[in-house]
Amino acid sequence: MIGWAVILLVVVVLGTAAFRMVPAYMENNTIGTSIRSLMQDSKTALMSPREVRDALSKRFTINQVNVIKVDDLGISKEGGILKVSTDYEVREPLFYNVSIVMTFKEDFTKDVRQ
C-alpha cells in the first residue's frame, strides 16, 4: 500500500510539473513561429530594425504573446544580416516555495542582401 502511495505521489508531482510547463513551451513556439514568418517575408529586407520591431509587435499582439515584450528582443541589421535574438526565462510555481524555471534562448538570422 505504501509503495502505491509513493508511486501516486511521484505521478502527481510530475503531472503537475508537466501541466505547468506546457503553456510556456507553447508560447515559446509561437514566438519562434512569429519571428520565422516575419523573416520569410520578402519585405523584411527593406525594413529597418525599428520597423522589424513594430511588425513583430503586431504579430505578438495577434498571437497573444505575453511572456516577452518586443523591446526585450535583440534586433540588429549589420552588413546585410538581420539578427533577432530571444533570451528570457519563465518561472511557474509548482507548490509552496518550489518553482519551475524554464530558460529560452534562440537566435534567428537572415541574409537580406540581394
Side-chain angles (χ1 to χ4, degrees):
M1 190 63 111
I2 293 175
W4 282 106
V6 170
I7 290 172
L8 184 62
L9 179 68
V10 169
V11 168
V12 167
V13 169
L14 292 178
T16 303
F19 183 73
R20 300 283 184 160
M21 293 171 67
V22 167
Y25 278 96
M26 289 177 62
E27 195 160 20
N28 181 57
N29 187 37
T30 302
I31 291 168
T33 302
S34 298
I35 294 170
R36 278 188 219 92
S37 69
L38 178 68
M39 291 191 141
Q40 290 175 353
D41 189 2
S42 60
K43 296 177 186 176
T44 306
L46 303 174
M47 292 181 176
S48 69
R50 183 76 234 168
E51 292 169 328
V52 170
R53 194 174 300 277
D54 292 340
L56 279 174
S57 177
K58 290 176 186 176
R59 290 172 191 251
F60 283 5
T61 301
I62 290 169
N63 291 316
Q64 299 177 350
V65 173
N66 300 319
V67 72
I68 189 173
K69 294 179 177 64
V70 176
D71 294 332
D72 297 333
L73 297 174
I75 300 175
S76 65
K77 191 173 183 182
E78 295 177 10
I81 305 292
L82 174 65
K83 182 178 178 182
V84 179
S85 59
T86 62
D87 187 9
Y88 67 98
E89 71 178 25
V90 177
R91 292 179 182 265
E92 287 292 329
L94 188 56
F95 53 86
Y96 188 55
N97 63 350
V98 178
S99 296
I100 300 170
V101 179
M102 295 159 280
T103 304
F104 300 99
K105 182 175 181 172
E106 195 168 354
D107 293 323
F108 304 89
T109 58
K110 178 183 180 182
D111 188 353
V112 292
R113 293 176 277 189
Q114 298 188 14

